[in-house]
Amino acid sequence: MSDPGSSAERSLGQLVASATAEMSALVHDEIALAKAELRQDVKRGAIGSVAIVVAGVLALFSLPVFSFAAAYGIHNLGLGLAWSFLIVGGAFVVLAVVLALLSISKFKKVKPPERSIASAKETAAVLQNAKPHPRGTALLPEPHPQERIPA
């Protein structure tokens, strides 16, 4: 005697409900995996973006103020004023280059969500091999008399 939960004794409605629940769970799991993988790459991208913004802010806003202050400070040490301004300008360019290189290294670490893509491809392959249940003509509704095409 078989148990009442066996697949042979399950109704069509139970089978459809079970398949729907499993498909829903599979889709939710795929979405959760994609979110987890993307979260790390978004963090890396955000750090790289912040570094670019900081480099831009340093180059645009602090350059005039600190350039004059530093150049006149160097000039007071005995170096010519033109050389003082060149030294300060070069220091800011070096700082901007270092920050830009930092951001580029962070952007290079951003990768596509490889596990999610592979899992989605596996799921698609399984679903392509699934065959629909054969339906008999008895299950199809009869067409309305006005919709029948004369032979």
Short mmCIF file of all heavy atoms in Angstrom, two decimals, residues 22-89:
data_model
loop_
_atom_site.label_atom_id
_atom_site.label_comp_id
_atom_site.label_asym_id
_atom_site.label_seq_id
_atom_site.Cartn_x
_atom_site.Cartn_y
_atom_site.Cartn_z
N GLU A 22 7.46 25.68 -6.22
CA GLU A 22 8.89 25.42 -6.45
C GLU A 22 9.49 26.42 -7.43
O GLU A 22 10.62 26.87 -7.25
CB GLU A 22 9.08 23.99 -6.93
CG GLU A 22 8.83 22.96 -5.83
CD GLU A 22 8.95 21.54 -6.34
OE1 GLU A 22 9.48 21.32 -7.43
OE2 GLU A 22 8.51 20.65 -5.60
N MET A 23 8.76 26.78 -8.47
CA MET A 23 9.25 27.76 -9.44
C MET A 23 9.40 29.12 -8.78
O MET A 23 10.38 29.82 -9.00
CB MET A 23 8.29 27.84 -10.63
CG MET A 23 8.77 28.79 -11.72
SD MET A 23 10.31 28.29 -12.48
CE MET A 23 9.76 26.96 -13.47
N SER A 24 8.43 29.49 -7.95
CA SER A 24 8.50 30.76 -7.23
C SER A 24 9.72 30.78 -6.31
O SER A 24 10.45 31.77 -6.25
CB SER A 24 7.23 30.98 -6.44
OG SER A 24 7.32 32.16 -5.67
N ALA A 25 9.94 29.69 -5.58
CA ALA A 25 11.10 29.61 -4.69
C ALA A 25 12.39 29.69 -5.49
O ALA A 25 13.35 30.36 -5.06
CB ALA A 25 11.05 28.31 -3.88
N LEU A 26 12.44 29.06 -6.64
CA LEU A 26 13.64 29.09 -7.48
C LEU A 26 13.92 30.51 -7.96
O LEU A 26 15.06 30.99 -7.90
CB LEU A 26 13.46 28.16 -8.68
CG LEU A 26 14.60 28.13 -9.69
CD1 LEU A 26 15.87 27.59 -9.05
CD2 LEU A 26 14.22 27.28 -10.88
N VAL A 27 12.89 31.22 -8.39
CA VAL A 27 13.07 32.60 -8.87
C VAL A 27 13.53 33.48 -7.72
O VAL A 27 14.44 34.30 -7.88
CB VAL A 27 11.76 33.12 -9.49
CG1 VAL A 27 11.82 34.62 -9.73
CG2 VAL A 27 11.48 32.40 -10.80
N HIS A 28 12.94 33.32 -6.54
CA HIS A 28 13.35 34.12 -5.38
C HIS A 28 14.80 33.84 -5.01
O HIS A 28 15.55 34.75 -4.66
CB HIS A 28 12.43 33.86 -4.19
CG HIS A 28 11.09 34.50 -4.32
ND1 HIS A 28 10.90 35.86 -4.19
CD2 HIS A 28 9.86 33.98 -4.59
CE1 HIS A 28 9.63 36.14 -4.35
NE2 HIS A 28 8.97 35.02 -4.61
N ASP A 29 15.21 32.56 -5.07
CA ASP A 29 16.60 32.22 -4.76
C ASP A 29 17.56 32.81 -5.78
O ASP A 29 18.65 33.27 -5.43
CB ASP A 29 16.78 30.70 -4.70
CG ASP A 29 16.09 30.08 -3.48
OD1 ASP A 29 15.75 30.84 -2.55
OD2 ASP A 29 15.91 28.85 -3.48
N GLU A 30 17.17 32.81 -7.06
CA GLU A 30 18.02 33.40 -8.10
C GLU A 30 18.19 34.90 -7.87
O GLU A 30 19.28 35.45 -7.99
CB GLU A 30 17.41 33.17 -9.49
CG GLU A 30 17.38 31.74 -9.94
CD GLU A 30 18.73 31.22 -10.36
OE1 GLU A 30 19.64 32.02 -10.64
OE2 GLU A 30 18.89 29.98 -10.39
N ILE A 31 17.11 35.57 -7.50
CA ILE A 31 17.16 37.01 -7.25
C ILE A 31 18.04 37.30 -6.03
O ILE A 31 18.85 38.22 -6.03
CB ILE A 31 15.74 37.58 -7.07
CG1 ILE A 31 15.01 37.54 -8.42
CG2 ILE A 31 15.78 39.00 -6.52
CD1 ILE A 31 13.53 37.86 -8.33
N ALA A 32 17.90 36.49 -4.98
CA ALA A 32 18.71 36.69 -3.77
C ALA A 32 20.19 36.49 -4.08
O ALA A 32 21.04 37.25 -3.57
CB ALA A 32 18.26 35.73 -2.67
N LEU A 33 20.52 35.51 -4.89
CA LEU A 33 21.92 35.28 -5.26
C LEU A 33 22.47 36.45 -6.06
O LEU A 33 23.58 36.92 -5.80
CB LEU A 33 22.05 33.97 -6.06
CG LEU A 33 23.43 33.64 -6.60
CD1 LEU A 33 24.41 33.46 -5.45
CD2 LEU A 33 23.37 32.39 -7.45
N ALA A 34 21.71 36.94 -7.00
CA ALA A 34 22.15 38.09 -7.80
C ALA A 34 22.36 39.32 -6.92
O ALA A 34 23.34 40.04 -7.07
CB ALA A 34 21.14 38.38 -8.90
N LYS A 35 21.45 39.55 -5.97
CA LYS A 35 21.59 40.70 -5.07
C LYS A 35 22.85 40.58 -4.23
O LYS A 35 23.58 41.57 -4.05
CB LYS A 35 20.38 40.80 -4.14
CG LYS A 35 19.15 41.38 -4.78
CD LYS A 35 18.03 41.46 -3.74
CE LYS A 35 16.77 42.00 -4.32
NZ LYS A 35 15.69 42.03 -3.30
N ALA A 36 23.13 39.39 -3.72
CA ALA A 36 24.31 39.20 -2.88
C ALA A 36 25.59 39.45 -3.67
O ALA A 36 26.53 40.08 -3.16
CB ALA A 36 24.31 37.79 -2.29
N GLU A 37 25.65 38.96 -4.90
CA GLU A 37 26.85 39.16 -5.71
C GLU A 37 27.02 40.63 -6.12
O GLU A 37 28.13 41.15 -6.11
CB GLU A 37 26.80 38.29 -6.96
CG GLU A 37 27.12 36.84 -6.70
CD GLU A 37 27.21 36.05 -7.98
OE1 GLU A 37 26.32 36.19 -8.85
OE2 GLU A 37 28.18 35.30 -8.11
N LEU A 38 25.93 41.27 -6.48
CA LEU A 38 26.01 42.65 -6.94
C LEU A 38 26.33 43.62 -5.80
O LEU A 38 26.96 44.65 -6.03
CB LEU A 38 24.72 43.06 -7.62
CG LEU A 38 24.48 42.42 -8.99
CD1 LEU A 38 23.11 42.79 -9.52
CD2 LEU A 38 25.55 42.84 -9.98
N ARG A 39 25.90 43.28 -4.59
CA ARG A 39 26.12 44.17 -3.45
C ARG A 39 27.62 44.44 -3.26
O ARG A 39 28.03 45.58 -3.04
CB ARG A 39 25.52 43.55 -2.19
CG ARG A 39 25.45 44.49 -1.02
CD ARG A 39 24.68 43.89 0.15
NE ARG A 39 23.27 43.79 -0.22
CZ ARG A 39 22.55 42.66 -0.14
NH1 ARG A 39 23.10 41.56 0.31
NH2 ARG A 39 21.29 42.64 -0.50
N GLN A 40 28.44 43.40 -3.37
CA GLN A 40 29.89 43.56 -3.18
C GLN A 40 30.49 44.41 -4.30
O GLN A 40 31.32 45.29 -4.04
CB GLN A 40 30.56 42.20 -3.13
CG GLN A 40 32.03 42.28 -2.80
CD GLN A 40 32.66 40.90 -2.70
OE1 GLN A 40 32.16 39.94 -3.26
NE2 GLN A 40 33.76 40.82 -1.99
N ASP A 41 30.07 44.17 -5.53
CA ASP A 41 30.62 44.95 -6.65
C ASP A 41 30.15 46.40 -6.61
O ASP A 41 30.89 47.30 -6.99
CB ASP A 41 30.24 44.30 -7.98
CG ASP A 41 31.05 43.04 -8.25
OD1 ASP A 41 32.15 42.92 -7.67
OD2 ASP A 41 30.59 42.19 -9.03
N VAL A 42 28.93 46.62 -6.14
CA VAL A 42 28.45 48.00 -6.01
C VAL A 42 29.27 48.73 -4.97
O VAL A 42 29.61 49.91 -5.13
CB VAL A 42 26.94 48.01 -5.66
CG1 VAL A 42 26.49 49.37 -5.19
CG2 VAL A 42 26.12 47.56 -6.86
N LYS A 43 29.63 48.04 -3.90
CA LYS A 43 30.45 48.66 -2.85
C LYS A 43 31.81 49.07 -3.42
O LYS A 43 32.29 50.17 -3.16
CB LYS A 43 30.62 47.69 -1.68
CG LYS A 43 31.37 48.27 -0.52
CD LYS A 43 31.46 47.27 0.63
CE LYS A 43 32.25 47.84 1.78
NZ LYS A 43 32.36 46.88 2.89
N ARG A 44 32.42 48.18 -4.19
CA ARG A 44 33.72 48.51 -4.80
C ARG A 44 33.59 49.69 -5.76
O ARG A 44 34.43 50.58 -5.79
CB ARG A 44 34.26 47.30 -5.56
CG ARG A 44 34.78 46.21 -4.66
CD ARG A 44 35.31 45.06 -5.49
NE ARG A 44 35.71 43.96 -4.63
CZ ARG A 44 35.61 42.69 -4.97
NH1 ARG A 44 35.15 42.36 -6.17
NH2 ARG A 44 36.00 41.75 -4.15
N GLY A 45 32.53 49.68 -6.55
CA GLY A 45 32.30 50.79 -7.47
C GLY A 45 32.06 52.10 -6.74
O GLY A 45 32.51 53.16 -7.17
N ALA A 46 31.36 52.02 -5.62
CA ALA A 46 31.09 53.23 -4.83
C ALA A 46 32.38 53.79 -4.25
O ALA A 46 32.59 55.01 -4.24
CB ALA A 46 30.09 52.93 -3.72
N ILE A 47 33.25 52.92 -3.77
CA ILE A 47 34.53 53.38 -3.22
C ILE A 47 35.36 54.05 -4.32
O ILE A 47 35.96 55.11 -4.11
CB ILE A 47 35.31 52.21 -2.58
CG1 ILE A 47 34.60 51.77 -1.30
CG2 ILE A 47 36.75 52.60 -2.27
CD1 ILE A 47 35.16 50.49 -0.69
N GLY A 48 35.38 53.44 -5.50
CA GLY A 48 36.09 54.04 -6.62
C GLY A 48 35.50 55.39 -7.02
O GLY A 48 36.23 56.34 -7.31
N SER A 49 34.18 55.48 -7.01
CA SER A 49 33.52 56.74 -7.36
C SER A 49 33.81 57.83 -6.34
O SER A 49 34.04 58.99 -6.70
CB SER A 49 32.01 56.54 -7.45
OG SER A 49 31.70 55.63 -8.47
N VAL A 50 33.80 57.46 -5.07
CA VAL A 50 34.11 58.43 -4.01
C VAL A 50 35.54 58.94 -4.18
O VAL A 50 35.81 60.13 -4.02
CB VAL A 50 33.88 57.82 -2.62
CG1 VAL A 50 34.48 58.68 -1.53
CG2 VAL A 50 32.39 57.62 -2.37
N ALA A 51 36.47 58.05 -4.51
CA ALA A 51 37.86 58.48 -4.70
C ALA A 51 37.98 59.46 -5.86
O ALA A 51 38.72 60.44 -5.77
CB ALA A 51 38.76 57.26 -4.93
N ILE A 52 37.23 59.21 -6.95
CA ILE A 52 37.24 60.14 -8.09
C ILE A 52 36.67 61.50 -7.68
O ILE A 52 37.21 62.55 -8.03
CB ILE A 52 36.43 59.56 -9.26
CG1 ILE A 52 37.17 58.43 -9.93
CG2 ILE A 52 36.06 60.62 -10.28
CD1 ILE A 52 38.20 58.84 -10.93
N VAL A 53 35.57 61.48 -6.92
CA VAL A 53 34.96 62.73 -6.48
C VAL A 53 35.91 63.50 -5.58
O VAL A 53 36.06 64.72 -5.71
CB VAL A 53 33.61 62.45 -5.78
CG1 VAL A 53 33.09 63.68 -5.07
CG2 VAL A 53 32.59 61.95 -6.79
N VAL A 54 36.56 62.80 -4.66
CA VAL A 54 37.51 63.46 -3.76
C VAL A 54 38.66 64.06 -4.56
O VAL A 54 39.08 65.19 -4.28
CB VAL A 54 38.02 62.47 -2.69
CG1 VAL A 54 39.19 63.05 -1.92
CG2 VAL A 54 36.90 62.10 -1.73
N ALA A 55 39.15 63.34 -5.55
CA ALA A 55 40.23 63.87 -6.39
C ALA A 55 39.77 65.14 -7.11
O ALA A 55 40.51 66.13 -7.19
CB ALA A 55 40.68 62.82 -7.39
N GLY A 56 38.55 65.11 -7.62
CA GLY A 56 38.03 66.29 -8.31
C GLY A 56 37.84 67.48 -7.39
O GLY A 56 38.16 68.62 -7.74
N VAL A 57 37.32 67.20 -6.20
CA VAL A 57 37.12 68.29 -5.23
C VAL A 57 38.46 68.89 -4.83
O VAL A 57 38.60 70.11 -4.75
CB VAL A 57 36.34 67.78 -4.00
CG1 VAL A 57 36.38 68.77 -2.86
CG2 VAL A 57 34.90 67.48 -4.39
N LEU A 58 39.44 68.04 -4.58
CA LEU A 58 40.77 68.55 -4.23
C LEU A 58 41.35 69.40 -5.35
O LEU A 58 41.93 70.46 -5.12
CB LEU A 58 41.73 67.40 -3.92
CG LEU A 58 41.56 66.75 -2.55
CD1 LEU A 58 42.48 65.53 -2.45
CD2 LEU A 58 41.85 67.73 -1.45
N ALA A 59 41.20 68.93 -6.57
CA ALA A 59 41.78 69.65 -7.70
C ALA A 59 41.07 70.97 -7.97
O ALA A 59 41.72 71.95 -8.35
CB ALA A 59 41.74 68.76 -8.94
N LEU A 60 39.76 71.01 -7.79
CA LEU A 60 39.01 72.21 -8.17
C LEU A 60 38.88 73.27 -7.07
O LEU A 60 39.06 74.45 -7.32
CB LEU A 60 37.61 71.82 -8.65
CG LEU A 60 37.57 71.05 -9.96
CD1 LEU A 60 36.14 70.63 -10.28
CD2 LEU A 60 38.14 71.88 -11.09
N PHE A 61 38.57 72.85 -5.86
CA PHE A 61 38.26 73.82 -4.82
C PHE A 61 39.44 74.20 -3.94
O PHE A 61 39.60 75.36 -3.57
CB PHE A 61 37.12 73.31 -3.93
CG PHE A 61 35.82 73.21 -4.67
CD1 PHE A 61 35.17 72.00 -4.76
CD2 PHE A 61 35.26 74.31 -5.27
CE1 PHE A 61 33.97 71.89 -5.45
CE2 PHE A 61 34.06 74.21 -5.95
CZ PHE A 61 33.41 73.00 -6.04
N SER A 62 40.25 73.24 -3.58
CA SER A 62 41.35 73.57 -2.67
C SER A 62 42.59 74.06 -3.40
O SER A 62 43.47 74.66 -2.78
CB SER A 62 41.69 72.36 -1.81
OG SER A 62 42.23 71.33 -2.59
N LEU A 63 42.67 73.82 -4.68
CA LEU A 63 43.86 74.20 -5.42
C LEU A 63 44.17 75.69 -5.35
O LEU A 63 45.30 76.07 -5.01
CB LEU A 63 43.74 73.73 -6.88
CG LEU A 63 45.09 73.56 -7.55
CD1 LEU A 63 45.42 72.08 -7.60
CD2 LEU A 63 45.03 74.13 -8.94
N PRO A 64 43.25 76.58 -5.62
CA PRO A 64 43.60 78.00 -5.57
C PRO A 64 44.00 78.49 -4.18
O PRO A 64 45.01 79.17 -4.03
CB PRO A 64 42.33 78.71 -6.03
CG PRO A 64 41.52 77.69 -6.73
CD PRO A 64 41.89 76.39 -6.13
N VAL A 65 43.24 78.08 -3.16
CA VAL A 65 43.52 78.58 -1.81
C VAL A 65 44.86 78.06 -1.31
O VAL A 65 45.73 78.84 -0.88
CB VAL A 65 42.38 78.15 -0.85
CG1 VAL A 65 42.71 78.51 0.58
CG2 VAL A 65 41.07 78.77 -1.28
N PHE A 66 45.03 76.75 -1.37
CA PHE A 66 46.26 76.18 -0.83
C PHE A 66 47.47 76.47 -1.73
O PHE A 66 48.60 76.52 -1.25
CB PHE A 66 46.11 74.67 -0.62
CG PHE A 66 45.18 74.34 0.50
CD1 PHE A 66 44.08 73.53 0.29
CD2 PHE A 66 45.39 74.84 1.78
CE1 PHE A 66 43.22 73.23 1.32
CE2 PHE A 66 44.54 74.53 2.82
CZ PHE A 66 43.44 73.72 2.59
N SER A 67 47.23 76.64 -3.01
CA SER A 67 48.34 76.96 -3.90
C SER A 67 48.97 78.30 -3.53
O SER A 67 50.20 78.40 -3.43
CB SER A 67 47.85 77.02 -5.35
OG SER A 67 47.44 75.77 -5.80
N PHE A 68 48.14 79.30 -3.34
CA PHE A 68 48.68 80.61 -2.97
C PHE A 68 49.36 80.55 -1.61
O PHE A 68 50.47 81.09 -1.44
CB PHE A 68 47.58 81.66 -2.98
CG PHE A 68 47.28 82.18 -4.34
CD1 PHE A 68 46.22 81.67 -5.08
CD2 PHE A 68 48.07 83.17 -4.91
CE1 PHE A 68 45.95 82.15 -6.34
CE2 PHE A 68 47.80 83.66 -6.17
CZ PHE A 68 46.74 83.14 -6.90
N ALA A 69 48.73 79.90 -0.65
CA ALA A 69 49.31 79.83 0.69
C ALA A 69 50.65 79.09 0.67
O ALA A 69 51.64 79.56 1.25
CB ALA A 69 48.35 79.15 1.65
N ALA A 70 50.70 77.96 0.01
CA ALA A 70 51.94 77.18 -0.03
C ALA A 70 53.02 77.88 -0.85
O ALA A 70 54.20 77.89 -0.46
CB ALA A 70 51.66 75.79 -0.59
N ALA A 71 52.64 78.46 -1.98
CA ALA A 71 53.63 79.13 -2.83
C ALA A 71 54.26 80.31 -2.10
O ALA A 71 55.49 80.50 -2.15
CB ALA A 71 52.98 79.58 -4.13
N TYR A 72 53.45 81.08 -1.41
CA TYR A 72 54.02 82.22 -0.68
C TYR A 72 54.83 81.74 0.53
O TYR A 72 55.82 82.37 0.89
CB TYR A 72 52.93 83.21 -0.25
CG TYR A 72 52.55 84.13 -1.38
CD1 TYR A 72 51.34 83.98 -2.05
CD2 TYR A 72 53.42 85.13 -1.80
CE1 TYR A 72 51.01 84.81 -3.10
CE2 TYR A 72 53.09 85.98 -2.84
CZ TYR A 72 51.89 85.81 -3.49
OH TYR A 72 51.57 86.64 -4.54
N GLY A 73 54.45 80.59 1.10
CA GLY A 73 55.25 80.03 2.18
C GLY A 73 56.62 79.59 1.69
O GLY A 73 57.65 79.83 2.34
N ILE A 74 56.65 78.92 0.52
CA ILE A 74 57.93 78.50 -0.07
C ILE A 74 58.74 79.73 -0.48
O ILE A 74 59.97 79.76 -0.31
CB ILE A 74 57.68 77.56 -1.27
CG1 ILE A 74 57.05 76.24 -0.79
CG2 ILE A 74 58.97 77.28 -2.02
CD1 ILE A 74 56.59 75.32 -1.90
N HIS A 75 58.07 80.72 -1.01
CA HIS A 75 58.77 81.96 -1.41
C HIS A 75 59.43 82.62 -0.21
O HIS A 75 60.54 83.16 -0.32
CB HIS A 75 57.78 82.91 -2.08
CG HIS A 75 58.37 84.21 -2.47
ND1 HIS A 75 59.34 84.32 -3.45
CD2 HIS A 75 58.16 85.48 -2.01
CE1 HIS A 75 59.69 85.58 -3.57
NE2 HIS A 75 58.98 86.31 -2.71
N ASN A 76 58.78 82.57 0.95
CA ASN A 76 59.37 83.15 2.16
C ASN A 76 60.61 82.40 2.62
O ASN A 76 61.42 82.92 3.38
CB ASN A 76 58.35 83.20 3.29
CG ASN A 76 57.32 84.29 3.08
OD1 ASN A 76 57.57 85.25 2.36
ND2 ASN A 76 56.17 84.13 3.71
N LEU A 77 60.79 81.15 2.14
CA LEU A 77 62.00 80.38 2.48
C LEU A 77 63.18 80.77 1.60
O LEU A 77 64.29 80.29 1.80
CB LEU A 77 61.72 78.89 2.35
CG LEU A 77 60.70 78.30 3.33
CD1 LEU A 77 60.46 76.83 3.02
CD2 LEU A 77 61.19 78.46 4.77
N GLY A 78 62.94 81.60 0.60
CA GLY A 78 64.04 82.08 -0.21
C GLY A 78 64.01 81.66 -1.66
O GLY A 78 64.86 82.06 -2.44
N LEU A 79 63.05 80.83 -2.07
CA LEU A 79 62.95 80.40 -3.46
C LEU A 79 62.14 81.43 -4.24
O LEU A 79 61.30 82.13 -3.68
CB LEU A 79 62.25 79.03 -3.53
CG LEU A 79 62.46 78.19 -4.78
CD1 LEU A 79 63.94 77.96 -5.07
CD2 LEU A 79 61.78 76.86 -4.62
N GLY A 80 62.38 81.52 -5.53
CA GLY A 80 61.64 82.48 -6.36
C GLY A 80 60.14 82.17 -6.37
O GLY A 80 59.72 81.02 -6.19
N LEU A 81 59.35 83.18 -6.59
CA LEU A 81 57.89 83.04 -6.55
C LEU A 81 57.38 82.08 -7.63
O LEU A 81 56.49 81.26 -7.38
CB LEU A 81 57.23 84.42 -6.68
CG LEU A 81 55.75 84.49 -6.34
CD1 LEU A 81 55.49 84.01 -4.92
CD2 LEU A 81 55.23 85.90 -6.52
N ALA A 82 57.92 82.15 -8.84
CA ALA A 82 57.49 81.27 -9.93
C ALA A 82 57.78 79.82 -9.59
O ALA A 82 56.94 78.93 -9.80
CB ALA A 82 58.18 81.66 -11.23
N TRP A 83 58.98 79.55 -9.08
CA TRP A 83 59.33 78.18 -8.69
C TRP A 83 58.43 77.69 -7.55
O TRP A 83 58.04 76.53 -7.51
CB TRP A 83 60.80 78.08 -8.28
CG TRP A 83 61.71 78.16 -9.46
CD1 TRP A 83 62.52 79.20 -9.78
CD2 TRP A 83 61.88 77.16 -10.47
NE1 TRP A 83 63.19 78.93 -10.95
CE2 TRP A 83 62.81 77.66 -11.39
CE3 TRP A 83 61.34 75.91 -10.71
CZ2 TRP A 83 63.22 76.96 -12.51
CZ3 TRP A 83 61.75 75.20 -11.82
CH2 TRP A 83 62.67 75.73 -12.71
N SER A 84 58.09 78.55 -6.66
CA SER A 84 57.21 78.19 -5.55
C SER A 84 55.85 77.73 -6.07
O SER A 84 55.30 76.72 -5.62
CB SER A 84 57.04 79.37 -4.61
OG SER A 84 58.28 79.77 -4.08
N PHE A 85 55.30 78.50 -7.02
CA PHE A 85 54.00 78.11 -7.57
C PHE A 85 54.08 76.81 -8.38
O PHE A 85 53.16 75.99 -8.34
CB PHE A 85 53.44 79.24 -8.44
CG PHE A 85 52.68 80.27 -7.65
CD1 PHE A 85 53.28 81.47 -7.30
CD2 PHE A 85 51.38 80.04 -7.26
CE1 PHE A 85 52.59 82.41 -6.57
CE2 PHE A 85 50.68 80.98 -6.53
CZ PHE A 85 51.28 82.17 -6.18
N LEU A 86 55.18 76.59 -9.09
CA LEU A 86 55.35 75.33 -9.83
C LEU A 86 55.43 74.13 -8.89
O LEU A 86 54.85 73.07 -9.18
CB LEU A 86 56.59 75.40 -10.71
CG LEU A 86 56.45 76.21 -11.99
CD1 LEU A 86 57.80 76.32 -12.70
CD2 LEU A 86 55.43 75.57 -12.91
N ILE A 87 56.10 74.25 -7.81
CA ILE A 87 56.21 73.15 -6.84
C ILE A 87 54.83 72.81 -6.27
O ILE A 87 54.45 71.64 -6.18
CB ILE A 87 57.21 73.52 -5.72
CG1 ILE A 87 58.62 73.55 -6.28
CG2 ILE A 87 57.10 72.55 -4.55
CD1 ILE A 87 59.65 74.14 -5.31
N VAL A 88 54.08 73.82 -5.90
CA VAL A 88 52.76 73.59 -5.32
C VAL A 88 51.81 72.97 -6.35
O VAL A 88 51.08 72.02 -6.05
CB VAL A 88 52.19 74.91 -4.76
CG1 VAL A 88 50.74 74.74 -4.33
CG2 VAL A 88 53.03 75.37 -3.58
N GLY A 89 51.82 73.51 -7.55
CA GLY A 89 50.97 72.94 -8.60
C GLY A 89 51.32 71.49 -8.89
O GLY A 89 50.42 70.65 -9.06
#
